[in-house]
Amino acid sequence: MVSLIQEANQRIFSHVWRTPLVRSEPLTRLGPGKVWLKLESLQPTNSFKVRPAFNAMLTHLEQARRCGVVTSSSGNFAQATAYAARELGVDAQIVMMRDASPFKIERTRQFGGEVVLCENSFEARWETTFRIQRESGRLLLHPYDSEETIAGDGTIGLELLEDLDRDFCVVVPVSGGGLVAGIASALKPFRPSCRVIGVQPKANPSMAESKRQGSRVTVQPQGSMADALSVLTPGELTFDIARELVDDVVLVEEDEFAAAVRLLAEEQKLVVEPGGAAGVAAWMAGKVDNRGLDVVCIVSGGNVVSAKFTQLLQEANMAVAR
Amino acid sequence: MVSLIQEANQRIFSHVWRTPLVRSEPLTRLGPGKVWLKLESLQPTNSFKVRPAFNAMLTHLEQARRCGVVTSSSGNFAQATAYAARELGVDAQIVMMRDASPFKIERTRQFGGEVVLCENSFEARWETTFRIQRESGRLLLHPYDSEETIAGDGTIGLELLEDLDRDFCVVVPVSGGGLVAGIASALKPFRPSCRVIGVQPKANPSMAESKRQGSRVTVQPQGSMADALSVLTPGELTFDIARELVDDVVLVEEDEFAAAVRLLAEEQKLVVEPGGAAGVAAWMAGKVDNRGLDVVCIVSGGNVVSAKFTQLLQEANMAVAR
């Protein structure tokens, strides 16, 4: 996988940003160890998903331009696919559930993607996606479970290796598992003593449960404010990698997501969506065993619905006023 | 001044962050030229002011530790002085007006500074500050008009020279003028074709007016949401430098500040205070003549009162809903 990640890096570097790794004073205070934030929320479309979207599309560019692409997403891969497609002159159809974040649906359309809404279940989403692929001959871009997407995700790991010269513990939001699999695949061959910790909502624990049981299990997701981390079953490829290379997957509660979003806004001056704040939430809740290493929290996305975000901040204001 | 800035850089680099310079997709779309953001809002205390505070205190460290320090600030230099004093084992008194941002007063105290409140005028603020200095023998740290503070501010310019290898146009929020004077002093000797544009609120135009008249004038500030950019008269040193090295000072309206704060939150995922968004506001309003060069907006601070920030976002939400 490492060579695929290095190839991905060459392929996408002129299309995405090399995001900053910044020190966090308020999170370091919770110690031990310095805490760094990798700001994927600053990418075009405001999530890391432009990396896998560009890598998948550029790998099969001729076919993508000829046949168009289709994908399925809770919202961040949707926006990234729409954006990459527009940049590369590709036609994109994106299947989203009717109750996906309206903000993410709207932004996907603004980036030029054709959104196909389906019923509110993962089964319906995949069924619709596969049907479109069969009937239209479009190229299917998997949001997390393909070599191209995992390799695109893994480019974050290469940047961390360049930016930090000592072993560290990286804390990664987990949905289907592409991001954590990609980062672990980039780090472990070069620095086996780096730790990789995945984080899922307690409401959607399929990867944590699969790791515990030693095989992929399906867990019907409950509602969570971390809409980006909603998935039925880990990917096949991503689970195989996570089983071998990810040290632990921890679970965070809804109020821990809210506390992380608030701290990032008030003390770090970053707008981060709940799913993107999962690593910070786990660190704040004392759930990251970093073994004294420096900690890197991947801030994977910032696409919080504005109304939800302001509601969170207002609740914090009221708490201060009391 | 360049050698003072280089010395400042050596002095402060282990105490402050080297902040990231990031590409902005939504601001570049307004073109022509790529737009970059220099994220001083990510510094400890969330503004660039830690640079001048550490440089001034470290330059006179022995005296500062023996006698303590006193300063006067609308809030960002206050927090930075309190933070630097705590880090360096210095006692700090900070004079602030009674109607200064309550958020900034509270944070200054949290960082360990002793806040001395005075009446709501610049005259009272300086009178109180000088009286404390006379009576206590504390070292006076000027928030903008000293070689130490200007040199600390100028370290931002050195980082821009390292990060960008072509000429650029930098757009800088202006209050007393320390930041714009420091950055211009760092850039112009090495790259005379770089452009330096200052930005003030239309409600507080003392530097713009002074530049127009060719000498320092006092303008009684009106109320502005950009509380960080409130000043009576430009500094003596800062005006001398700005007259020679700053290409233009432009003015932005209150609704232009609000639009910039909103865009930075919604599309760039950054929490920025109105004063810190002045450069972005000027760019969005078409007031920056960049002559086709890439544009760097200095995002100088993020210390917006949370309630004000959420109010701005909510107004934006309501506008979307309509």
Side-chain angles (χ1 to χ4, degrees):
Chain A
M1 184 56 76
V2 166
S3 63
L4 293 179
I5 297 172
Q6 288 164 332
E7 286 166 29
N9 208 35
Q10 291 304 310
R11 208 174 276 128
I12 69 175
F13 83 94
S14 64
H15 297 281
V16 305
W17 308 155
R18 191 188 188 298
T19 53
L21 182 70
V22 300
R23 279 277 296 278
S24 171
E25 165 74 11
L27 292 172
T28 294
R29 248 183 276 141
L30 304 177
K34 288 178 197 159
V35 180
W36 304 82
L37 302 173
K38 177 73 168 166
L39 300 185
E40 291 296 305
S41 53
L42 301 182
Q43 288 284 9
T45 78
N46 305 112
S47 87
F48 75 99
K49 289 288 193 182
V50 283
R51 298 176 186 261
F54 271 104
N55 192 49
M57 225 175 283
L58 287 165
T59 301
H60 307 284
L61 186 57
E62 201 256 339
Q63 188 190 352
R65 282 189 173 142
R66 200 177 61 238
C67 310
V69 298
V70 60
T71 191
S72 147
S73 163
S74 68
N76 279 334
F77 193 69
Q79 294 169 71
T81 299
Y83 175 83
R86 190 180 64 185
E87 294 290 305
L88 299 174
V90 167
D91 186 79
Q93 277 189 342
I94 296 140
V95 180
M96 301 176 81
M97 291 186 210
R98 283 189 203 288
D99 69 353
S101 152
F103 176 81
K104 290 178 179 178
I105 292 173
E106 179 55 30
R107 293 239 307 178
T108 301
R109 289 183 173 136
Q110 281 171 6
F111 288 123
E114 182 190 340
V115 174
V116 179
L117 293 175
C118 69
E119 294 308 309
N120 289 327
S121 77
F122 285 93
E123 292 82 355
R125 208 175 84 185
W126 283 114
E127 196 181 276
T128 309
T129 307
F130 288 130
R131 183 177 48 71
I132 290 174
Q133 183 200 16
R134 274 196 319 275
E135 293 176 1
S136 68
R138 287 171 179 268
L139 175 68
L140 177 70
L141 302 184
H142 197 289
Y144 49 86
D145 203 28
S146 76
E147 285 192 336
E148 289 88 351
T149 47
I150 296 170
D153 297 331
T155 57
I156 292 173
L158 298 184
E159 294 174 13
L160 294 178
L161 289 172
E162 282 176 8
D163 287 351
L164 294 172
D165 53 15
R166 287 188 304 177
D167 288 340
F168 53 88
C169 172
V170 61
V171 196
V172 188
V174 174
S175 176
L179 182 59
V180 77
I183 289 175
S185 299
L187 298 184
K188 291 282 185 173
F190 298 106
R191 298 209 207 145
S193 301
C194 275
R195 284 175 67 75
V196 180
I197 311 280
V199 184
Q200 285 194 301
K202 192 164 183 198
N204 296 332
S206 61
M207 179 67 89
E209 192 58 27
S210 298
K211 248 184 98 73
R212 200 178 65 77
Q213 297 196 17
S215 65
R216 290 166 70 227
V217 297
T218 294
V219 183
Q220 204 66 41
Q222 309 298 310
S224 167
M225 73 171 81
D227 63 289
L229 306 186
S230 180
V231 75
L232 209 54
T233 318
E236 292 182 35
L237 277 170
T238 60
F239 177 68
D240 282 348
I241 295 170
R243 181 163 50 179
E244 191 187 349
L245 300 180
V246 172
D247 295 287
D248 199 5
V249 179
V250 301
L251 300 177
V252 301
E253 311 267 357
E254 294 301 298
D255 59 348
E256 292 166 345
F257 280 114
V261 170
R262 283 180 196 148
L263 179 138
L264 287 167
E266 292 177 354
E267 298 196 44
Q268 197 67 51
K269 308 305 174 187
L270 297 170
V271 178
V272 179
E273 64 184 285
V280 172
W283 172 250
M284 287 171 64
K287 293 177 173 174
V288 174
D289 177 9
N290 63 322
R291 311 262 166 103
L293 298 173
D294 281 6
V295 172
V296 176
C297 297
I298 307 293
V299 175
S300 53
N303 290 312
V304 65
V305 185
S306 280
K308 178 70 192 166
F309 182 68
T310 51
Q311 184 197 330
L312 286 173
L313 288 187
Q314 275 189 316
E315 286 165 9
N317 292 343
M318 285 187 291
V320 169
R322 272 196 297 270
Chain B
M1 184 55 75
V2 166
S3 63
L4 293 179
I5 297 172
Q6 288 165 332
E7 286 165 29
N9 208 35
Q10 290 304 309
R11 208 174 276 128
I12 69 174
F13 83 93
S14 64
H15 297 280
V16 305
W17 308 156
R18 190 188 190 298
T19 52
L21 182 71
V22 300
R23 280 276 296 279
S24 171
E25 165 75 12
L27 292 171
T28 295
R29 248 183 276 141
L30 304 176
K34 287 177 196 161
V35 179
W36 303 82
L37 302 173
K38 177 73 168 167
L39 300 185
E40 291 296 304
S41 53
L42 301 183
Q43 288 284 10
T45 78
N46 305 113
S47 87
F48 75 100
K49 290 287 193 183
V50 283
R51 298 176 187 261
F54 271 104
N55 191 48
M57 227 175 281
L58 287 164
T59 301
H60 308 284
L61 186 57
E62 200 256 339
Q63 188 190 351
R65 283 190 172 142
R66 199 177 60 238
C67 310
V69 299
V70 60
T71 191
S72 145
S73 162
S74 69
N76 279 334
F77 193 68
Q79 293 169 71
T81 299
Y83 174 84
R86 190 180 64 185
E87 294 289 306
L88 299 174
V90 167
D91 186 79
Q93 278 189 343
I94 296 140
V95 181
M96 302 177 79
M97 289 186 210
R98 282 188 203 289
D99 70 351
S101 152
F103 176 81
K104 290 178 179 176
I105 293 174
E106 179 56 29
R107 293 237 310 178
T108 302
R109 290 183 172 136
Q110 282 171 5
F111 289 124
E114 183 190 339
V115 175
V116 179
L117 293 175
C118 69
E119 294 308 309
N120 291 327
S121 77
F122 286 93
E123 293 81 354
R125 208 175 82 184
W126 282 115
E127 196 179 277
T128 309
T129 307
F130 288 130
R131 183 177 49 72
I132 290 175
Q133 184 200 15
R134 274 196 319 276
E135 293 175 0
S136 67
R138 287 172 179 270
L139 174 69
L140 178 70
L141 303 184
H142 199 288
Y144 50 87
D145 203 27
S146 75
E147 286 192 335
E148 290 87 351
T149 47
I150 296 170
D153 298 332
T155 56
I156 292 172
L158 298 185
E159 293 175 14
L160 295 178
L161 289 172
E162 282 176 8
D163 287 350
L164 294 172
D165 53 13
R166 287 187 305 179
D167 287 340
F168 54 89
C169 172
V170 60
V171 195
V172 187
V174 174
S175 175
L179 182 59
V180 78
I183 290 175
S185 300
L187 297 183
K188 291 282 184 173
F190 299 105
R191 300 211 204 141
S193 301
C194 275
R195 284 175 67 75
V196 180
I197 311 281
V199 184
Q200 284 194 303
K202 191 163 184 199
N204 296 332
S206 61
M207 179 68 88
E209 192 56 29
S210 298
K211 248 185 97 74
R212 200 177 65 76
Q213 298 196 18
S215 65
R216 290 167 70 225
V217 297
T218 293
V219 183
Q220 204 66 42
Q222 308 299 309
S224 167
M225 73 171 82
D227 63 289
L229 306 185
S230 179
V231 76
L232 210 53
T233 318
E236 293 182 36
L237 277 170
T238 60
F239 177 68
D240 282 348
I241 295 170
R243 181 165 48 180
E244 191 186 348
L245 300 180
V246 172
D247 296 286
D248 198 5
V249 179
V250 301
L251 300 177
V252 302
E253 312 266 357
E254 294 300 298
D255 60 348
E256 293 165 344
F257 280 114
V261 170
R262 283 180 194 146
L263 178 137
L264 286 167
E266 292 176 354
E267 298 196 44
Q268 197 66 51
K269 308 305 173 187
L270 298 170
V271 178
V272 180
E273 63 184 286
V280 172
W283 171 249
M284 287 171 63
K287 293 177 174 175
V288 174
D289 177 8
N290 62 323
R291 309 262 167 102
L293 298 173
D294 281 5
V295 172
V296 176
C297 297
I298 307 292
V299 175
S300 53
N303 290 312
V304 65
V305 185
S306 279
K308 179 69 192 166
F309 182 68
T310 51
Q311 184 198 330
L312 285 172
L313 288 188
Q314 276 190 314
E315 286 166 9
N317 292 343
M318 285 187 292
V320 168
R322 273 196 298 270

